[in-house]
Amino acid sequence: MPSGFADEKNGERCERSICVNNPHLDSMKEDILYHFNLGTATHDFPAKFGDVKFVCVGGSPWRMKSFTEYIAGELGLAVPNAEYPNICEGTDRYAMYKVGPVLSVSHGMGIPSIAIMLHELIKLLCHARCTDVTVVRIGTSGGIGLQPGTVVVTKQSVDAAFLPRFEQIVLGKSVVRSTELDGDLAEELLQCSRELSEFQTVIGNTMCTLDFYEGQARLDGAFCSYTEEDKQNYLAEAYAAGVRNIEMESSVFAAMCKLSNLRAAVVCVTLLDRQKGDQLSSSHDVLHSYQQRPQVLVGHYIKKKLNIAKKS
């Protein structure tokens, strides 16, 4: 198979190369990453992306452009009046920005959207022959038993039954994959938060759901077949299972990164405590300040790692 690819069936494993477990890619003359508007016949992936060491992904294109501008400043790579072009210009599916060794990509909302993006991102990194890549999802979430504004670094992603698994139907059959994340990376991020001392950060399980309303026990959707007591009992069960926040992407993110041999973490800020309500009541300015917290934490981590690499 091509350099950087590994065949899971044959048990091959890369050290910290990107593992893409698909032998069919060998026979393709060109790999078109349709949703990125990129292709191996039209773009020089090693030249454009070969230096990438960190990938940050988040739902909103605006948020990922903002992160690019922020990390450029943190790494001393900012240029006055610089414009960071969208590498995926020409498609409205995703946005992608790059500054130095950091790639920033939007993934939309929900498991299907981020899964499509990850398939193409993982192949992009492999075609570029990247090694030792760390991928972090930064975003927002609903908290359970936490003050709004608390940042949660995910220990493991669990489903709506609080089980650490991602289930997908492939060829009509159920395939269950692990949602284990890199524990050492989570601890490093927690240590970075202690160094910042700007906001509370905890490590906890993250519940990944298929829906924003009923799937998250909200009472304010178009349909609701349960009571307030039912909701509170369910959230209490989640808390007892170690769940500290709820979002809609972490399970497939964890599963696909693990399959690809990528160090991965999920860092999400909580915008409210779901045990105290379902709708956001904080001001726009307060919510905006909360949303900056994951990028501040991850930016500090990236800067620290690059400084260590320079010294060594």
Side-chain angles (χ1 to χ4, degrees), residues 70 74 151 188-201 292-301 303-304:
Y70 174 79
E74 287 296 292
V151 172
E188 288 178 46
L189 287 162
L190 183 63
Q191 178 57 37
C192 284
S193 178
R194 291 171 179 153
E195 293 166 6
L196 289 169
S197 300
E198 295 180 15
F199 43 79
Q200 182 181 13
T201 300
Q292 306 306 304
R293 294 179 177 183
Q295 76 173 24
V296 169
L297 174 53
V298 174
H300 180 73
Y301 168 79
K303 185 177 180 179
K304 182 178 177 180

Side-chain angles (χ1 to χ4, degrees), residues 1-13 19-31 119 123 126-127 177:
M1 302 186 75
S3 175
F5 288 72
D7 185 346
E8 186 179 33
K9 185 176 181 180
N10 293 335
E12 297 178 16
R13 277 293 176 268
C19 296
V20 177
N21 305 305
N22 183 0
H24 302 290
L25 294 173
D26 270 351
S27 61
M28 295 170 52
K29 293 182 179 179
E30 178 185 7
D31 189 4
H119 272 283
K123 291 196 297 177
C126 191
H127 287 310
R177 290 169 172 154

Side-chain angles (χ1 to χ4, degrees), residues 21-310:
N21 305 305
N22 183 0
H24 302 290
L25 294 173
D26 270 351
S27 61
M28 295 170 52
K29 293 182 179 179
E30 178 185 7
D31 189 4
I32 299 173
L33 309 185
Y34 174 74
H35 301 89
F36 283 168
N37 197 35
L38 299 171
T40 53
T42 54
H43 297 79
D44 187 338
F45 282 56
K48 193 170 187 66
F49 303 107
D51 63 338
V52 169
K53 294 297 181 185
F54 302 94
V55 182
C56 293
V57 303
S60 161
W62 172 87
R63 190 181 302 154
M64 300 324 293
K65 184 175 183 180
S66 174
F67 176 77
T68 300
E69 295 167 347
Y70 174 79
I71 198 65
E74 287 296 292
L75 300 182
L77 300 174
V79 178
N81 302 317
E83 286 292 331
Y84 299 96
N86 178 8
I87 296 171
C88 296
E89 187 177 11
T91 175
D92 60 358
R93 295 297 183 188
Y94 306 107
M96 180 186 297
Y97 306 94
K98 184 178 183 298
V99 58
V102 183
L103 196 64
S104 177
V105 191
S106 69
H107 59 61
M109 180 180 286
I111 286 173
S113 184
I114 192 174
I116 293 168
M117 186 280 291
L118 285 170
H119 272 283
E120 299 191 8
L121 172 66
I122 291 163
K123 291 196 297 177
L124 179 155
L125 295 171
C126 191
H127 287 310
R129 304 189 189 96
C130 295
T131 58
D132 299 317
V133 178
T134 298
V135 186
V136 183
R137 166 169 143 67
I138 57 176
T140 59
S141 63
I144 301 180
L146 298 175
Q147 286 290 330
T150 302
V151 172
V152 179
V153 178
T154 303
K155 179 180 181 181
Q156 60 183 0
S157 176
V158 300
D159 62 16
F162 319 136
L163 297 175
R165 64 182 185 179
F166 170 65
E167 182 178 11
Q168 184 173 12
I169 304 299
V170 180
L171 301 182
K173 299 178 181 178
S174 173
V175 175
V176 177
R177 290 169 172 154
S178 168
T179 56
E180 180 185 0
L181 288 158
D182 191 305
D184 291 338
L185 177 55
E187 289 294 338
E188 288 178 46
L189 287 162
L190 183 63
Q191 178 57 37
C192 284
S193 178
R194 291 171 179 153
E195 293 166 6
L196 289 169
S197 300
E198 295 180 15
F199 43 79
Q200 182 181 13
T201 300
V202 301
I203 292 180
N205 292 342
T206 295
M207 183 165 71
C208 182
T209 68
L210 302 177
D211 169 53
F212 185 81
Y213 287 99
E214 289 182 294
Q216 296 188 15
R218 278 185 159 85
L219 302 174
D220 58 344
F223 312 101
C224 184
S225 59
Y226 43 84
T227 66
E228 166 76 27
E229 183 179 7
D230 293 333
K231 167 197 164 178
Q232 293 297 341
N233 288 339
Y234 178 69
L235 294 181
E237 289 178 25
Y239 188 89
V243 175
R244 294 297 177 266
N245 64 332
I246 309 172
E247 47 84 272
M248 297 175 62
E249 293 86 20
S250 60
S251 62
V252 70
F253 173 83
M256 292 181 71
C257 287
K258 183 175 177 61
L259 284 174
S260 305
N261 199 37
L262 288 162
R263 293 192 84 202
V266 178
V267 180
C268 290
V269 68
T270 60
L271 299 182
L272 75 169
D273 182 350
R274 288 293 321 290
Q275 291 180 312
K276 296 181 179 179
D278 294 331
Q279 297 196 337
L280 296 173
S281 57
S282 300
S283 70
H284 173 80
D285 288 343
V286 169
L287 292 175
H288 180 73
S289 70
Y290 288 167
Q291 291 175 24
Q292 306 306 304
R293 294 179 177 183
Q295 76 173 24
V296 169
L297 174 53
V298 174
H300 180 73
Y301 168 79
I302 292 174
K303 185 177 180 179
K304 182 178 177 180
K305 296 298 285 188
L306 289 175
N307 286 338
I308 291 172
K310 285 179 183 178

